[in-house]
Amino acid sequence: MSVRTTPRSAAMSVLILALLAGEAAAGKYCGDPIESGRASGATQEEALIAAQKWWSSRAGALGKGYEHWDNAADQSMDCTQDGQGTFHCKASGRPCLPDGTLPDNLPKLDL
């Protein structure tokens, strides 16, 4: 069986591999920004933890590895306290895989 490669398909394969290698070498694979809901707690720390857990559950829908708040890019946490003393926090950030980790859903290449 012989495999015939046209110059165009060879060039496309090289380009795709270079892009994938460049992204992996450049650092993390990140998704679009995700926000938690408005989490509440008796203390600001409780509300922060609840907001991070909520964010993690949403980010985890992207796939294994995206759910870790510590790997998120563009992290922000917005907290307020209402008149009754309850704290409310909302977490937002771009879920990212750890450096050097490739996503499970990379497109397959026919070479």
Side-chain angles (χ1 to χ4, degrees):
M1 177 177 168
S2 67
V3 176
R4 186 168 174 233
T5 304
T6 65
R8 183 177 176 180
S9 65
M12 287 299 288
S13 296
V14 169
L15 178 62
I16 290 170
L17 290 173
L19 288 173
L20 293 176
E23 281 188 45
K28 299 178 179 182
Y29 282 90
C30 298
D32 291 331
I34 291 179
E35 287 188 349
S36 71
R38 186 171 174 239
S40 302
T43 66
Q44 186 169 354
E45 184 177 357
E46 282 181 13
L48 285 168
I49 291 169
Q52 285 180 2
K53 286 181 180 179
W54 197 337
W55 180 92
S56 292
S57 70
R58 288 186 170 178
L62 291 175
K64 184 178 177 184
Y66 286 101
E67 71 277 8
H68 302 290
W69 174 254
D70 293 339
N71 291 331
D74 305 327
Q75 294 178 351
S76 71
M77 190 71 72
D78 180 35
C79 295
T80 59
Q81 187 177 19
D82 66 21
Q84 286 76 36
T86 302
F87 288 89
H88 305 279
C89 294
K90 182 183 273 191
S92 65
R94 293 179 52 225
C96 300
L97 291 174
D99 285 335
T101 304
L102 297 176
D104 293 334
N105 59 353
L106 279 178
K108 304 294 185 228
L109 300 176
D110 277 335
L111 299 176

